[in-house]
Coordinates of all heavy atoms in Angstrom, one line a residue:
M1 N -17.1 -6.2 -6.6 CA -16.2 -5.2 -6.0 C -15.6 -4.3 -7.0 O -15.5 -4.7 -8.2 CB -15.1 -5.9 -5.2 CG -15.5 -6.7 -4.0 SD -14.1 -7.4 -3.2 CE -14.0 -6.2 -1.8
S2 N -15.2 -3.1 -6.6 CA -14.7 -2.2 -7.5 C -13.1 -2.3 -7.6 O -12.5 -3.0 -6.8 CB -15.1 -0.8 -7.1 OG -14.2 -0.3 -6.0
V3 N -12.6 -1.6 -8.5 CA -11.2 -1.6 -8.7 C -10.5 -1.1 -7.4 O -9.5 -1.7 -7.0 CB -10.8 -0.8 -10.0 CG1 -9.3 -0.5 -10.0 CG2 -11.3 -1.4 -11.2
I4 N -11.0 0.0 -6.9 CA -10.3 0.6 -5.7 C -10.5 -0.3 -4.5 O -9.5 -0.5 -3.8 CB -10.9 2.0 -5.5 CG1 -10.4 2.9 -6.6 CG2 -10.4 2.5 -4.1 CD1 -10.8 4.3 -6.6
S5 N -11.7 -0.8 -4.3 CA -11.9 -1.7 -3.1 C -11.1 -3.0 -3.2 O -10.5 -3.4 -2.2 CB -13.3 -2.0 -2.8 OG -13.9 -2.7 -3.9
D6 N -10.9 -3.5 -4.4 CA -10.0 -4.7 -4.6 C -8.6 -4.3 -4.2 O -7.9 -5.0 -3.6 CB -10.0 -5.1 -6.1 CG -11.3 -5.9 -6.5 OD1 -12.1 -6.3 -5.5 OD2 -11.5 -6.1 -7.7
F7 N -8.1 -3.1 -4.7 CA -6.8 -2.7 -4.4 C -6.5 -2.5 -2.9 O -5.6 -3.0 -2.4 CB -6.5 -1.3 -5.1 CG -5.2 -0.7 -4.7 CD1 -4.0 -1.3 -5.2 CD2 -5.2 0.3 -3.9 CE1 -2.7 -0.7 -4.7 CE2 -3.9 0.9 -3.4 CZ -2.7 0.4 -3.9
L8 N -7.5 -1.9 -2.3 CA -7.3 -1.6 -0.8 C -7.4 -2.9 -0.1 O -6.6 -3.1 0.9 CB -8.4 -0.7 -0.3 CG -8.4 0.8 -0.9 CD1 -9.6 1.6 -0.4 CD2 -7.1 1.4 -0.4
K9 N -8.1 -3.9 -0.6 CA -8.1 -5.2 0.1 C -6.7 -5.9 -0.1 O -6.2 -6.5 0.8 CB -9.2 -6.1 -0.6 CG -9.3 -7.5 0.0 CD -10.4 -8.3 -0.7 CE -10.4 -9.7 -0.2 NZ -11.3 -10.5 -0.9
D10 N -6.1 -5.7 -1.3 CA -4.8 -6.3 -1.7 C -3.7 -5.8 -0.8 O -2.7 -6.5 -0.5 CB -4.4 -6.1 -3.1 CG -5.2 -6.9 -4.1 OD1 -5.9 -7.9 -3.7 OD2 -5.2 -6.6 -5.3
I11 N -3.8 -4.5 -0.4 CA -2.7 -3.9 0.4 C -2.9 -4.1 1.9 O -2.0 -3.7 2.7 CB -2.5 -2.4 0.0 CG1 -3.6 -1.6 0.5 CG2 -2.1 -2.3 -1.4 CD1 -3.4 -0.1 0.4
K12 N -4.0 -4.6 2.3 CA -4.3 -4.8 3.7 C -3.1 -5.4 4.4 O -2.6 -6.5 4.0 CB -5.6 -5.6 3.9 CG -6.0 -5.7 5.4 CD -7.2 -4.8 5.5 CE -7.8 -5.0 6.9 NZ -8.1 -3.8 7.5
G13 N -2.6 -4.8 5.5 CA -1.5 -5.3 6.3 C -0.1 -5.0 5.7 O 0.9 -5.2 6.4
K14 N -0.1 -4.4 4.5 CA 1.2 -4.0 4.0 C 1.6 -2.6 4.4 O 0.8 -1.9 5.0 CB 1.1 -4.1 2.4 CG 1.0 -5.4 1.8 CD 1.0 -5.2 0.3 CE 0.9 -6.6 -0.4 NZ 0.9 -6.3 -1.9
H15 N 2.9 -2.3 4.2 CA 3.4 -1.0 4.5 C 2.5 0.1 3.8 O 2.2 1.1 4.3 CB 4.9 -0.9 4.0 CG 5.5 0.4 4.2 ND1 5.8 0.9 5.5 CD2 5.8 1.4 3.4 CE1 6.4 2.1 5.4 NE2 6.4 2.4 4.1
A16 N 2.1 -0.2 2.5 CA 1.3 0.7 1.8 C 0.0 1.0 2.5 O -0.5 2.2 2.4 CB 1.1 0.2 0.4
D17 N -0.6 0.0 3.1 CA -1.8 0.2 3.8 C -1.7 1.4 4.9 O -2.6 2.2 5.0 CB -2.3 -1.1 4.5 CG -3.7 -1.1 5.1 OD1 -4.5 -0.3 4.6 OD2 -3.9 -1.8 6.1
R18 N -0.6 1.3 5.6 CA -0.4 2.3 6.6 C -0.2 3.7 6.0 O -0.7 4.7 6.4 CB 0.8 2.0 7.5 CG 1.0 2.9 8.6 CD 2.0 2.4 9.6 NE 3.3 2.0 8.9 CZ 4.4 2.6 8.9 NH1 4.6 3.6 9.7 NH2 5.4 2.1 8.2
K19 N 0.6 3.7 4.9 CA 0.9 5.0 4.2 C -0.4 5.6 3.6 O -0.6 6.8 3.7 CB 1.9 4.8 3.1 CG 3.3 4.5 3.7 CD 3.8 5.6 4.6 CE 5.1 5.4 5.0 NZ 5.6 6.4 6.0
Y20 N -1.3 4.8 3.0 CA -2.5 5.2 2.5 C -3.5 5.8 3.6 O -4.3 6.6 3.3 CB -3.2 4.2 1.7 CG -2.8 4.1 0.3 CD1 -1.5 3.5 -0.1 CD2 -3.6 4.5 -0.7 CE1 -1.1 3.5 -1.3 CE2 -3.2 4.4 -2.1 CZ -1.9 3.9 -2.4 OH -1.5 3.8 -3.7
S21 N -3.3 5.2 4.8 CA -4.1 5.7 5.9 C -3.6 7.0 6.4 O -4.3 7.9 6.9 CB -4.2 4.7 7.0 OG -4.8 3.5 6.6
E22 N -2.3 7.2 6.4 CA -1.6 8.4 6.9 C -1.7 9.6 6.0 O -1.8 10.7 6.4 CB -0.2 8.1 7.2 CG 0.1 7.2 8.4 CD 1.5 6.7 8.5 OE1 2.4 7.1 7.7 OE2 1.8 6.0 9.5
A23 N -1.6 9.3 4.7 CA -1.7 10.4 3.7 C -3.0 11.0 3.6 O -4.0 10.4 3.9 CB -1.3 9.8 2.3
R24 N -3.1 12.3 3.4 CA -4.3 13.1 3.4 C -4.6 13.8 2.1 O -3.6 14.4 1.5 CB -4.3 14.1 4.5 CG -4.1 13.6 5.9 CD -5.3 13.2 6.5 NE -5.1 12.6 7.8 CZ -6.0 11.9 8.5 NH1 -7.1 11.6 7.9 NH2 -5.7 11.3 9.6
I25 N -5.8 13.9 1.7 CA -6.2 14.7 0.5 C -7.4 15.5 1.1 O -8.4 14.9 1.5 CB -6.6 13.9 -0.7 CG1 -5.4 13.2 -1.2 CG2 -7.3 14.8 -1.7 CD1 -5.6 12.4 -2.5
D26 N -7.3 16.8 1.0 CA -8.4 17.7 1.5 C -8.8 17.3 3.0 O -9.9 17.3 3.3 CB -9.6 17.6 0.6 CG -9.4 18.2 -0.7 OD1 -8.5 19.1 -0.8 OD2 -10.0 17.8 -1.7
G27 N -7.8 16.9 3.8 CA -8.0 16.6 5.1 C -8.5 15.2 5.4 O -8.7 14.8 6.6
K28 N -8.8 14.4 4.4 CA -9.3 13.0 4.5 C -8.2 12.1 4.3 O -7.3 12.3 3.5 CB -10.4 12.8 3.5 CG -11.6 13.5 3.6 CD -12.6 13.1 2.5 CE -13.8 14.0 2.5 NZ -14.7 13.6 1.4
P29 N -8.2 10.9 5.0 CA -7.2 9.9 4.7 C -7.4 9.5 3.3 O -8.4 9.4 2.7 CB -7.7 8.7 5.7 CG -8.4 9.3 6.7 CD -9.1 10.5 6.1
L30 N -6.2 9.2 2.6 CA -6.2 8.8 1.2 C -7.1 7.6 1.0 O -7.8 7.5 0.0 CB -4.8 8.5 0.8 CG -4.5 8.1 -0.7 CD1 -5.2 9.1 -1.6 CD2 -3.1 8.0 -1.0
K31 N -7.1 6.6 1.9 CA -8.0 5.4 1.7 C -9.4 5.9 1.6 O -10.1 5.4 0.8 CB -7.8 4.5 2.8 CG -6.4 3.7 2.7 CD -6.2 2.8 3.9 CE -7.2 1.7 4.0 NZ -6.9 0.7 5.0
E32 N -9.8 6.8 2.4 CA -11.3 7.2 2.4 C -11.5 8.0 1.1 O -12.6 7.8 0.5 CB -11.5 8.1 3.6 CG -12.9 8.6 3.7 CD -13.1 9.6 4.9 OE1 -12.4 9.4 5.9 OE2 -14.0 10.4 4.8
W33 N -10.6 8.9 0.7 CA -10.8 9.6 -0.5 C -10.9 8.7 -1.7 O -11.7 8.9 -2.6 CB -9.6 10.6 -0.6 CG -9.7 11.5 -1.9 CD1 -10.3 12.7 -1.9 CD2 -9.2 11.2 -3.2 NE1 -10.3 13.2 -3.2 CE2 -9.5 12.3 -4.0 CE3 -8.4 10.2 -3.7 CZ2 -9.1 12.4 -5.3 CZ3 -8.0 10.2 -5.0 CH2 -8.4 11.4 -5.8
L34 N -10.0 7.7 -1.8 CA -10.1 6.7 -2.9 C -11.4 6.0 -2.9 O -11.9 5.8 -4.0 CB -8.9 5.7 -2.7 CG -7.5 6.2 -3.2 CD1 -6.5 5.1 -2.8 CD2 -7.5 6.4 -4.6
T35 N -11.9 5.6 -1.7 CA -13.2 4.9 -1.7 C -14.3 5.8 -2.3 O -15.1 5.3 -3.0 CB -13.5 4.5 -0.2 OG1 -12.5 3.7 0.3 CG2 -14.8 3.8 -0.1
E36 N -14.2 7.1 -2.1 CA -15.2 8.0 -2.6 C -15.1 8.1 -4.1 O -16.0 8.5 -4.8 CB -15.1 9.3 -2.0 CG -15.4 9.4 -0.5 CD -15.1 10.7 0.1 OE1 -14.5 11.6 -0.5 OE2 -15.4 10.8 1.3
Q37 N -13.9 7.8 -4.7 CA -13.7 7.9 -6.1 C -14.1 6.6 -6.9 O -14.0 6.6 -8.1 CB -12.2 8.2 -6.4 CG -11.6 9.3 -5.7 CD -12.4 10.6 -5.8 OE1 -12.7 11.0 -6.9 NE2 -12.7 11.2 -4.7
Q38 N -14.5 5.6 -6.2 CA -14.8 4.3 -6.8 C -15.7 4.3 -8.1 O -15.4 3.6 -9.0 CB -15.4 3.3 -5.8 CG -14.5 2.9 -4.8 CD -15.0 1.8 -3.9 OE1 -14.8 0.7 -4.2 NE2 -15.6 2.2 -2.7
P39 N -16.8 5.1 -8.1 CA -17.6 5.0 -9.3 C -16.8 5.4 -10.6 O -17.1 4.9 -11.7 CB -18.7 6.1 -9.1 CG -18.8 6.1 -7.6 CD -17.3 5.9 -7.1
A40 N -15.8 6.2 -10.5 CA -15.0 6.6 -11.7 C -13.8 5.8 -12.0 O -13.1 6.0 -12.9 CB -14.6 8.1 -11.5
A41 N -13.5 4.8 -11.1 CA -12.3 4.0 -11.2 C -12.4 3.0 -12.3 O -13.4 2.4 -12.6 CB -12.0 3.3 -9.9
T42 N -11.3 2.8 -13.1 CA -11.2 1.9 -14.2 C -10.0 1.0 -14.0 O -9.2 1.2 -13.1 CB -11.1 2.6 -15.5 OG1 -9.9 3.4 -15.5 CG2 -12.3 3.5 -15.8
E43 N -9.8 0.0 -14.9 CA -8.6 -0.8 -14.8 C -7.3 0.0 -14.9 O -6.4 -0.4 -14.2 CB -8.7 -1.9 -15.9 CG -7.6 -3.0 -15.8 CD -7.6 -3.7 -14.4 OE1 -8.7 -3.9 -13.8 OE2 -6.5 -4.1 -13.9
P44 N -7.2 1.0 -15.7 CA -5.9 1.8 -15.7 C -5.6 2.3 -14.3 O -4.5 2.4 -13.9 CB -6.1 2.8 -16.7 CG -7.1 2.2 -17.7 CD -8.0 1.4 -16.8
V45 N -6.7 2.7 -13.6 CA -6.5 3.3 -12.2 C -5.9 2.2 -11.3 O -5.0 2.4 -10.6 CB -7.9 3.7 -11.7 CG1 -7.7 4.1 -10.2 CG2 -8.3 5.0 -12.4
R46 N -6.4 0.9 -11.5 CA -5.9 -0.2 -10.7 C -4.4 -0.4 -11.0 O -3.6 -0.6 -10.1 CB -6.6 -1.5 -11.0 CG -6.1 -2.6 -10.2 CD -7.0 -3.8 -10.4 NE -6.5 -5.0 -9.7 CZ -6.5 -5.2 -8.4 NH1 -7.0 -4.3 -7.6 NH2 -6.0 -6.3 -7.9
R47 N -4.0 -0.3 -12.2 CA -2.6 -0.5 -12.6 C -1.7 0.6 -11.9 O -0.6 0.3 -11.4 CB -2.4 -0.5 -14.1 CG -2.9 -1.8 -14.7 CD -2.4 -2.0 -16.1 NE -2.9 -0.9 -17.0 CZ -4.0 -1.1 -17.8 NH1 -4.7 -2.2 -17.7 NH2 -4.4 -0.1 -18.6
V48 N -2.2 1.8 -11.9 CA -1.4 2.9 -11.2 C -1.4 2.6 -9.8 O -0.3 2.8 -9.2 CB -2.1 4.3 -11.5 CG1 -1.5 5.4 -10.7 CG2 -2.0 4.7 -13.0
L49 N -2.4 2.3 -9.2 CA -2.4 2.0 -7.7 C -1.5 0.8 -7.4 O -0.7 0.9 -6.4 CB -3.8 1.7 -7.2 CG -4.8 2.8 -7.3 CD1 -6.2 2.3 -6.9 CD2 -4.4 3.9 -6.3
K50 N -1.4 -0.2 -8.2 CA -0.5 -1.3 -8.0 C 0.9 -0.9 -8.1 O 1.8 -1.3 -7.4 CB -0.8 -2.5 -9.0 CG -2.1 -3.1 -8.8 CD -2.3 -3.8 -7.5 CE -1.8 -5.2 -7.5 NZ -2.0 -6.0 -6.3
R51 N 1.2 0.0 -9.0 CA 2.6 0.5 -9.2 C 3.0 1.3 -7.9 O 4.1 1.2 -7.4 CB 2.7 1.4 -10.4 CG 2.8 0.6 -11.7 CD 3.2 1.4 -12.8 NE 3.2 0.6 -14.0 CZ 3.8 0.9 -15.1 NH1 4.5 2.0 -15.2 NH2 3.8 0.1 -16.1
I52 N 2.1 2.1 -7.5 CA 2.3 2.9 -6.2 C 2.6 2.0 -5.1 O 3.5 2.1 -4.3 CB 1.2 3.9 -5.9 CG1 1.1 5.0 -7.0 CG2 1.3 4.5 -4.5 CD1 -0.2 5.8 -6.9
D53 N 1.8 0.9 -5.0 CA 2.0 -0.1 -3.9 C 3.4 -0.8 -4.0 O 4.1 -0.9 -3.0 CB 0.9 -1.2 -4.1 CG 1.1 -2.3 -3.1 OD1 1.5 -2.1 -1.9 OD2 0.7 -3.5 -3.4
A54 N 3.8 -1.1 -5.2 CA 5.1 -1.7 -5.5 C 6.2 -0.7 -5.1 O 7.3 -1.1 -4.5 CB 5.3 -2.1 -6.9
V55 N 6.1 0.5 -5.4 CA 7.1 1.6 -5.1 C 7.2 1.7 -3.6 O 8.3 1.7 -3.1 CB 6.8 2.9 -5.8 CG1 7.6 4.0 -5.2 CG2 7.0 2.8 -7.3
L56 N 6.1 1.8 -2.9 CA 6.1 1.9 -1.4 C 6.8 0.7 -0.8 O 7.6 0.8 0.2 CB 4.7 2.1 -0.9 CG 4.1 3.5 -1.1 CD1 2.6 3.5 -0.7 CD2 4.9 4.6 -0.4
E57 N 6.4 -0.5 -1.3 CA 7.0 -1.8 -0.8 C 8.5 -1.8 -1.0 O 9.3 -2.2 -0.1 CB 6.3 -3.0 -1.4 CG 6.6 -4.2 -0.7 CD 5.8 -5.4 -1.2 OE1 4.7 -5.2 -1.7 OE2 6.2 -6.5 -1.0
N58 N 9.0 -1.4 -2.2 CA 10.4 -1.4 -2.5 C 11.1 -0.3 -1.6 O 12.2 -0.6 -1.1 CB 10.7 -1.1 -4.0 CG 10.4 -2.3 -4.8 OD1 10.4 -3.4 -4.3 ND2 10.0 -2.0 -6.1
A59 N 10.5 0.8 -1.4 CA 11.1 1.8 -0.5 C 11.2 1.3 0.9 O 12.3 1.6 1.6 CB 10.3 3.1 -0.5
Q60 N 10.3 0.6 1.4 CA 10.3 0.1 2.7 C 11.5 -1.0 2.8 O 12.2 -1.0 3.8 CB 9.0 -0.6 3.1 CG 9.1 -1.2 4.6 CD 7.9 -2.1 4.8 OE1 7.2 -2.6 4.0 NE2 7.6 -2.2 6.1
K61 N 11.6 -1.8 1.8 CA 12.6 -2.9 1.9 C 14.0 -2.2 1.8 O 15.0 -2.6 2.5 CB 12.5 -3.8 0.7 CG 11.3 -4.8 0.8 CD 11.2 -5.6 -0.4 CE 9.9 -6.5 -0.3 NZ 9.7 -7.3 -1.5
A62 N 14.2 -1.2 1.0 CA 15.4 -0.4 0.9 C 15.8 0.2 2.2 O 16.9 0.2 2.7 CB 15.4 0.6 -0.2
S63 N 14.8 0.8 2.9 CA 15.0 1.4 4.2 C 15.4 0.4 5.2 O 16.3 0.7 6.0 CB 13.7 2.1 4.6 OG 13.8 2.7 5.9
K64 N 14.8 -0.8 5.2 CA 15.2 -1.8 6.1 C 16.7 -2.3 5.9 O 17.4 -2.5 6.8 CB 14.3 -3.0 6.0 CG 13.0 -2.7 6.7 CD 12.1 -4.0 6.7 CE 10.8 -3.8 7.3 NZ 9.9 -5.0 7.3
R65 N 17.0 -2.3 4.6 CA 18.4 -2.7 4.2 C 19.4 -1.7 4.7 O 20.5 -2.0 5.3 CB 18.6 -3.0 2.8 CG 18.0 -4.3 2.3 CD 18.4 -4.6 0.8 NE 18.0 -3.5 -0.1 CZ 16.9 -3.6 -0.8 NH1 16.0 -4.5 -0.6 NH2 16.6 -2.6 -1.7
R66 N 19.1 -0.4 4.5 CA 20.0 0.6 5.0 C 20.1 0.6 6.5 O 21.2 0.8 7.1 CB 19.5 2.0 4.5 CG 19.7 2.3 3.1 CD 19.5 3.7 2.7 NE 18.1 4.1 3.0 CZ 17.1 4.1 2.2 NH1 17.3 3.5 1.0 NH2 15.9 4.5 2.5
G67 N 19.0 0.3 7.2 CA 19.0 0.3 8.7 C 19.8 -0.9 9.2 O 20.3 -0.9 10.3
A68 N 19.9 -2.0 8.4 CA 20.6 -3.2 8.8 C 22.1 -3.1 8.7 O 22.9 -3.9 9.2 CB 20.1 -4.4 8.0
R69 N 22.6 -2.1 8.1 CA 24.0 -1.9 7.9 C 24.7 -1.4 9.1 O 24.4 -0.9 10.0 CB 24.3 -0.9 6.7 CG 23.9 -1.5 5.4 CD 24.2 -0.5 4.3 NE 23.7 -1.0 3.1 CZ 23.8 -0.4 2.0 NH1 24.3 0.8 1.9 NH2 23.3 -1.0 0.8

């Protein structure tokens, strides 16, 4: 498996999974666009994607906390 497909598998069912499906690049869902980039992906790309995942997850948790007040 590639770095990107591993990442997309890791986020399955998470808030980030939905955000990656909703976001668009050149009219394509970000998940589809990333899949097309797989041949060029390297381990540093995976680290960047994991950080984005963590930021989205933290933002979702913060949003839930604000809503619970």
Side-chain angles (χ1 to χ4, degrees):
M1 292 186 101
S2 79
V3 170
I4 291 176
S5 60
D6 286 345
F7 171 76
L8 294 174
K9 182 180 173 187
D10 288 345
I11 66 169
K12 187 103 174 135
K14 292 183 178 180
H15 179 72
D17 187 29
R18 184 173 48 116
K19 292 299 184 183
Y20 274 73
S21 294
E22 293 172 354
R24 303 269 177 203
I25 294 182
D26 293 331
K28 294 180 184 178
L30 179 54
K31 286 174 68 172
E32 181 181 332
W33 183 87
L34 282 170
T35 301
E36 293 171 357
Q37 308 308 309
Q38 288 188 88
T42 61
E43 188 57 30
V45 171
R46 181 173 174 75
R47 286 195 295 268
V48 169
L49 292 171
K50 292 297 268 183
R51 283 191 183 197
I52 292 169
D53 178 34
V55 167
L56 289 170
E57 193 170 337
N58 287 336
Q60 180 191 26
K61 288 177 184 176
S63 177
K64 284 183 179 179
R65 282 193 300 269
R66 283 191 300 271
R69 292 180 182 179

